[in-house]
Amino acid sequence: GNSVTQMEGPVTLSEEAFLTINCTYTATGYPSLFWYVQYPGEGLQLLLKATKADDKGSNKGFEATYRKETTSFHLEKGSVQVSDSAVYFCALSISDYKLSFGAGTTVTVRA
Amino acid sequence: DTAVSQTPKYLVTQMGNDKSIKCEQNLGHDTMYWYKQDSKKFLKIMFSYNNKELIINETVPNRFSPKSPDKAHLNLHINSLELGDSAVYFCASSQLNEQFFGPGTRLTVL
């Protein structure tokens, strides 16, 4: 089946630190890959996506590259801010109708 | 001009009661979803509808019944509520493979 494994949290960082959240996937076929972010008390928002191997998704200073050879889609940001404190979800989609989510990683950035 | 809206935002009720959560999207999307998020933030799909037709039903107890009166609405009715139903329920809609989520409904069963 299709599944996503992402690094367990919680992760606590200081402002301006480098953030990496690891995500690996198992899929039949060629999935599209996503990172969603959930800020406290809100629903999920799409942060970035990549639809084929070697694509790089980027948004708000976050980046992730679709690596087919390592079945990975790690999320990175070079300098985090307090406002980046949130839960981050890696997800994959094979069909148009279903997303498979990872367990979520809670990130807290301290001033 | 909220894209995906849900009501109510909070719902507190007694075990055994029946309750409904409503969802509306104004994005013109064909597909809508219900997800359940537990206390550990784990997100699980419950149902998916495409053009008012049920296409995904992820082994959810039949106490949960989705209803889609039209493409823009997907409501969730829950009968005989149990303690384990306490969670945050998210509605979402999509066109192609990008999903847009509502703000969530926090259900607490006492």
Side-chain angles (χ1 to χ4, degrees), chain B residues 44-79:
Chain B
K44 183 175 169 55
I45 189 166
M46 301 173 69
F47 301 103
S48 174
Y49 270 71
N50 180 258
N51 279 318
K52 303 194 301 175
E53 298 293 323
L54 179 67
I55 52 172
I56 294 175
N57 181 343
E58 289 285 308
T59 60
V60 176
N62 57 15
R63 297 183 296 104
F64 291 79
S65 51
K67 285 190 172 51
S68 183
D70 55 57
K71 246 176 45 166
H73 296 85
L74 180 61
N75 303 323
L76 183 65
H77 188 75
I78 316 170
N79 289 327

Short mmCIF file of all heavy atoms in Angstrom, two decimals, chain B residues 44-79:
data_model
loop_
_atom_site.label_atom_id
_atom_site.label_comp_id
_atom_site.label_asym_id
_atom_site.label_seq_id
_atom_site.Cartn_x
_atom_site.Cartn_y
_atom_site.Cartn_z
N LYS B 44 -6.73 11.04 9.59
CA LYS B 44 -7.19 9.85 8.88
C LYS B 44 -8.39 10.22 8.02
O LYS B 44 -9.35 10.83 8.51
CB LYS B 44 -7.57 8.77 9.88
CG LYS B 44 -8.01 7.46 9.26
CD LYS B 44 -8.24 6.42 10.34
CE LYS B 44 -8.94 5.18 9.79
NZ LYS B 44 -8.25 4.59 8.64
N ILE B 45 -8.35 9.81 6.76
CA ILE B 45 -9.49 10.08 5.90
C ILE B 45 -10.66 9.19 6.31
O ILE B 45 -10.48 8.04 6.68
CB ILE B 45 -9.14 9.90 4.41
CG1 ILE B 45 -10.29 10.40 3.54
CG2 ILE B 45 -8.80 8.45 4.10
CD1 ILE B 45 -9.93 10.56 2.08
N MET B 46 -11.85 9.76 6.26
CA MET B 46 -13.05 9.00 6.56
C MET B 46 -13.84 8.72 5.29
O MET B 46 -14.20 7.59 4.98
CB MET B 46 -13.92 9.77 7.54
CG MET B 46 -13.24 10.09 8.86
SD MET B 46 -14.25 11.17 9.87
CE MET B 46 -15.60 10.10 10.31
N PHE B 47 -14.16 9.80 4.57
CA PHE B 47 -15.00 9.69 3.38
C PHE B 47 -14.50 10.64 2.30
O PHE B 47 -13.90 11.67 2.59
CB PHE B 47 -16.45 10.11 3.68
CG PHE B 47 -17.13 9.30 4.74
CD1 PHE B 47 -17.30 9.82 6.01
CD2 PHE B 47 -17.62 8.04 4.46
CE1 PHE B 47 -17.94 9.08 7.00
CE2 PHE B 47 -18.26 7.29 5.43
CZ PHE B 47 -18.41 7.81 6.71
N SER B 48 -14.84 10.28 1.06
CA SER B 48 -14.62 11.20 -0.04
C SER B 48 -15.79 11.10 -1.00
O SER B 48 -16.29 10.00 -1.27
CB SER B 48 -13.32 10.85 -0.76
OG SER B 48 -13.17 11.65 -1.91
N TYR B 49 -16.25 12.24 -1.47
CA TYR B 49 -17.33 12.30 -2.44
C TYR B 49 -16.83 13.03 -3.69
O TYR B 49 -16.15 14.05 -3.59
CB TYR B 49 -18.52 13.10 -1.88
CG TYR B 49 -19.52 12.28 -1.13
CD1 TYR B 49 -19.21 11.73 0.11
CD2 TYR B 49 -20.79 12.04 -1.66
CE1 TYR B 49 -20.14 10.97 0.80
CE2 TYR B 49 -21.72 11.29 -0.97
CZ TYR B 49 -21.38 10.75 0.26
OH TYR B 49 -22.30 10.00 0.93
N ASN B 50 -17.23 12.52 -4.84
CA ASN B 50 -16.94 13.19 -6.09
C ASN B 50 -18.25 13.42 -6.83
O ASN B 50 -18.96 12.46 -7.13
CB ASN B 50 -15.97 12.38 -6.96
CG ASN B 50 -15.64 13.06 -8.26
OD1 ASN B 50 -16.16 12.72 -9.31
ND2 ASN B 50 -14.79 14.06 -8.20
N ASN B 51 -18.57 14.67 -7.07
CA ASN B 51 -19.84 14.99 -7.72
C ASN B 51 -21.03 14.31 -7.04
O ASN B 51 -21.85 13.68 -7.71
CB ASN B 51 -19.81 14.62 -9.20
CG ASN B 51 -19.13 15.69 -10.02
OD1 ASN B 51 -19.34 16.87 -9.82
ND2 ASN B 51 -18.30 15.25 -10.94
N LYS B 52 -21.06 14.39 -5.75
CA LYS B 52 -22.13 13.87 -4.89
C LYS B 52 -22.14 12.35 -4.77
O LYS B 52 -23.03 11.80 -4.14
CB LYS B 52 -23.51 14.35 -5.36
CG LYS B 52 -23.68 15.86 -5.43
CD LYS B 52 -25.11 16.26 -5.56
CE LYS B 52 -25.75 15.70 -6.80
NZ LYS B 52 -27.21 15.99 -6.88
N GLU B 53 -21.17 11.68 -5.36
CA GLU B 53 -21.11 10.22 -5.26
C GLU B 53 -20.01 9.80 -4.29
O GLU B 53 -18.88 10.33 -4.36
CB GLU B 53 -20.81 9.61 -6.63
CG GLU B 53 -21.86 9.89 -7.70
CD GLU B 53 -23.18 9.20 -7.39
OE1 GLU B 53 -23.15 8.07 -6.87
OE2 GLU B 53 -24.24 9.81 -7.68
N LEU B 54 -20.32 8.85 -3.42
CA LEU B 54 -19.32 8.36 -2.47
C LEU B 54 -18.27 7.56 -3.20
O LEU B 54 -18.59 6.61 -3.92
CB LEU B 54 -20.02 7.48 -1.42
CG LEU B 54 -19.13 6.86 -0.36
CD1 LEU B 54 -18.56 7.93 0.55
CD2 LEU B 54 -19.92 5.83 0.45
N ILE B 55 -16.99 7.93 -3.01
CA ILE B 55 -15.92 7.18 -3.68
C ILE B 55 -14.93 6.58 -2.70
O ILE B 55 -14.21 5.66 -3.05
CB ILE B 55 -15.17 8.05 -4.72
CG1 ILE B 55 -14.68 9.36 -4.10
CG2 ILE B 55 -16.04 8.32 -5.91
CD1 ILE B 55 -13.77 10.14 -5.02
N ILE B 56 -14.85 7.09 -1.51
CA ILE B 56 -13.98 6.50 -0.49
C ILE B 56 -14.77 6.40 0.82
O ILE B 56 -15.38 7.37 1.26
CB ILE B 56 -12.71 7.35 -0.23
CG1 ILE B 56 -11.80 7.36 -1.46
CG2 ILE B 56 -11.94 6.82 0.98
CD1 ILE B 56 -10.60 8.26 -1.31
N ASN B 57 -14.74 5.21 1.41
CA ASN B 57 -15.31 5.00 2.73
C ASN B 57 -14.32 4.13 3.47
O ASN B 57 -14.22 2.94 3.20
CB ASN B 57 -16.68 4.31 2.60
CG ASN B 57 -17.33 4.10 3.95
OD1 ASN B 57 -16.68 4.17 5.00
ND2 ASN B 57 -18.61 3.83 3.95
N GLU B 58 -13.59 4.75 4.37
CA GLU B 58 -12.45 4.06 4.98
C GLU B 58 -12.85 3.33 6.25
O GLU B 58 -12.46 3.71 7.35
CB GLU B 58 -11.33 5.06 5.27
CG GLU B 58 -10.65 5.56 4.03
CD GLU B 58 -9.72 4.54 3.41
OE1 GLU B 58 -8.87 3.99 4.12
OE2 GLU B 58 -9.85 4.30 2.19
N THR B 59 -13.62 2.31 6.12
CA THR B 59 -14.02 1.46 7.26
C THR B 59 -14.40 2.27 8.48
O THR B 59 -13.92 2.04 9.59
CB THR B 59 -12.91 0.45 7.62
OG1 THR B 59 -11.73 1.17 7.98
CG2 THR B 59 -12.62 -0.47 6.47
N VAL B 60 -15.24 3.24 8.24
CA VAL B 60 -15.75 4.07 9.33
C VAL B 60 -17.02 3.39 9.87
O VAL B 60 -17.81 2.87 9.09
CB VAL B 60 -16.07 5.47 8.80
CG1 VAL B 60 -16.68 6.35 9.87
CG2 VAL B 60 -14.80 6.12 8.25
N PRO B 61 -17.23 3.40 11.20
CA PRO B 61 -18.46 2.80 11.73
C PRO B 61 -19.70 3.39 11.06
O PRO B 61 -19.73 4.58 10.71
CB PRO B 61 -18.43 3.18 13.22
CG PRO B 61 -17.00 3.42 13.52
CD PRO B 61 -16.38 3.94 12.26
N ASN B 62 -20.72 2.57 10.89
CA ASN B 62 -21.89 3.09 10.17
C ASN B 62 -22.72 4.05 11.01
O ASN B 62 -23.78 4.51 10.55
CB ASN B 62 -22.74 1.94 9.61
CG ASN B 62 -23.19 0.99 10.69
OD1 ASN B 62 -23.12 1.31 11.88
ND2 ASN B 62 -23.65 -0.18 10.29
N ARG B 63 -22.27 4.39 12.21
CA ARG B 63 -22.88 5.50 12.96
C ARG B 63 -22.58 6.83 12.26
O ARG B 63 -23.24 7.83 12.51
CB ARG B 63 -22.32 5.56 14.38
CG ARG B 63 -22.64 4.33 15.23
CD ARG B 63 -22.13 4.47 16.64
NE ARG B 63 -20.67 4.57 16.71
CZ ARG B 63 -20.01 5.70 16.92
NH1 ARG B 63 -20.65 6.83 17.09
NH2 ARG B 63 -18.68 5.71 16.99
N PHE B 64 -21.55 6.83 11.42
CA PHE B 64 -21.16 8.04 10.69
C PHE B 64 -21.80 7.97 9.30
O PHE B 64 -21.56 7.01 8.55
CB PHE B 64 -19.64 8.13 10.53
CG PHE B 64 -18.93 8.40 11.81
CD1 PHE B 64 -18.69 7.38 12.72
CD2 PHE B 64 -18.48 9.67 12.11
CE1 PHE B 64 -18.02 7.63 13.91
CE2 PHE B 64 -17.79 9.93 13.29
CZ PHE B 64 -17.57 8.91 14.20
N SER B 65 -22.58 8.99 8.97
CA SER B 65 -23.19 8.98 7.65
C SER B 65 -23.00 10.33 6.98
O SER B 65 -23.52 11.35 7.44
CB SER B 65 -24.68 8.63 7.73
OG SER B 65 -25.34 9.45 8.67
N PRO B 66 -22.23 10.34 5.90
CA PRO B 66 -22.06 11.58 5.15
C PRO B 66 -23.24 11.80 4.22
O PRO B 66 -23.87 10.83 3.78
CB PRO B 66 -20.79 11.32 4.34
CG PRO B 66 -20.77 9.84 4.17
CD PRO B 66 -21.48 9.22 5.33
N LYS B 67 -23.51 13.07 3.95
CA LYS B 67 -24.57 13.38 2.99
C LYS B 67 -24.13 14.57 2.14
O LYS B 67 -23.69 15.59 2.68
CB LYS B 67 -25.87 13.71 3.72
CG LYS B 67 -26.58 12.49 4.28
CD LYS B 67 -27.95 12.80 4.77
CE LYS B 67 -28.71 11.54 5.14
NZ LYS B 67 -27.98 10.65 6.05
N SER B 68 -24.27 14.40 0.84
CA SER B 68 -23.85 15.47 -0.07
C SER B 68 -25.05 15.93 -0.88
O SER B 68 -25.36 15.33 -1.92
CB SER B 68 -22.74 14.97 -0.99
OG SER B 68 -22.28 16.00 -1.83
N PRO B 69 -25.74 16.96 -0.45
CA PRO B 69 -26.94 17.41 -1.18
C PRO B 69 -26.60 18.02 -2.54
O PRO B 69 -27.43 18.00 -3.45
CB PRO B 69 -27.55 18.46 -0.25
CG PRO B 69 -26.43 18.91 0.64
CD PRO B 69 -25.50 17.74 0.77
N ASP B 70 -25.40 18.57 -2.66
CA ASP B 70 -24.92 19.09 -3.94
C ASP B 70 -23.41 19.14 -3.88
O ASP B 70 -22.81 18.86 -2.85
CB ASP B 70 -25.51 20.49 -4.24
CG ASP B 70 -25.25 21.49 -3.14
OD1 ASP B 70 -24.06 21.71 -2.79
OD2 ASP B 70 -26.21 22.05 -2.59
N LYS B 71 -22.80 19.51 -4.99
CA LYS B 71 -21.33 19.46 -5.09
C LYS B 71 -20.63 20.35 -4.08
O LYS B 71 -19.50 20.13 -3.72
CB LYS B 71 -20.93 19.92 -6.51
CG LYS B 71 -20.30 18.87 -7.35
CD LYS B 71 -20.01 19.33 -8.76
CE LYS B 71 -19.38 20.70 -8.87
NZ LYS B 71 -18.83 20.92 -10.24
N ALA B 72 -21.29 21.40 -3.63
CA ALA B 72 -20.65 22.38 -2.74
C ALA B 72 -20.79 22.05 -1.26
O ALA B 72 -20.20 22.73 -0.43
CB ALA B 72 -21.24 23.76 -3.01
N HIS B 73 -21.56 21.01 -0.94
CA HIS B 73 -21.83 20.70 0.47
C HIS B 73 -21.58 19.23 0.75
O HIS B 73 -21.95 18.36 -0.04
CB HIS B 73 -23.29 21.02 0.83
CG HIS B 73 -23.62 22.48 0.74
ND1 HIS B 73 -23.99 23.08 -0.46
CD2 HIS B 73 -23.61 23.46 1.68
CE1 HIS B 73 -24.22 24.36 -0.23
NE2 HIS B 73 -23.99 24.62 1.05
N LEU B 74 -20.95 18.99 1.91
CA LEU B 74 -20.80 17.62 2.39
C LEU B 74 -20.95 17.65 3.90
O LEU B 74 -20.10 18.20 4.60
CB LEU B 74 -19.43 17.03 2.01
CG LEU B 74 -19.18 15.60 2.48
CD1 LEU B 74 -20.21 14.64 1.86
CD2 LEU B 74 -17.77 15.14 2.14
N ASN B 75 -22.06 17.12 4.38
CA ASN B 75 -22.35 17.14 5.81
C ASN B 75 -22.04 15.78 6.41
O ASN B 75 -22.05 14.75 5.71
CB ASN B 75 -23.82 17.51 6.03
CG ASN B 75 -24.15 18.85 5.38
OD1 ASN B 75 -23.33 19.78 5.38
ND2 ASN B 75 -25.33 18.96 4.80
N LEU B 76 -21.77 15.80 7.71
CA LEU B 76 -21.45 14.56 8.42
C LEU B 76 -22.39 14.42 9.59
O LEU B 76 -22.43 15.29 10.47
CB LEU B 76 -20.00 14.60 8.91
CG LEU B 76 -19.48 13.36 9.61
CD1 LEU B 76 -19.44 12.18 8.64
CD2 LEU B 76 -18.09 13.61 10.19
N HIS B 77 -23.14 13.34 9.59
CA HIS B 77 -24.06 13.07 10.69
C HIS B 77 -23.52 11.90 11.49
O HIS B 77 -23.09 10.90 10.91
CB HIS B 77 -25.46 12.74 10.15
CG HIS B 77 -26.47 12.65 11.24
ND1 HIS B 77 -27.00 13.73 11.88
CD2 HIS B 77 -27.04 11.56 11.83
CE1 HIS B 77 -27.85 13.35 12.81
NE2 HIS B 77 -27.89 12.04 12.81
N ILE B 78 -23.55 12.05 12.81
CA ILE B 78 -23.03 11.00 13.68
C ILE B 78 -24.11 10.60 14.67
O ILE B 78 -24.63 11.42 15.42
CB ILE B 78 -21.78 11.46 14.47
CG1 ILE B 78 -20.80 12.24 13.56
CG2 ILE B 78 -21.09 10.25 15.10
CD1 ILE B 78 -19.69 12.93 14.32
N ASN B 79 -24.47 9.32 14.65
CA ASN B 79 -25.47 8.78 15.57
C ASN B 79 -24.80 8.17 16.79
O ASN B 79 -23.66 7.70 16.74
CB ASN B 79 -26.28 7.67 14.88
CG ASN B 79 -27.21 8.23 13.83
OD1 ASN B 79 -27.72 9.33 13.97
ND2 ASN B 79 -27.41 7.46 12.77
#
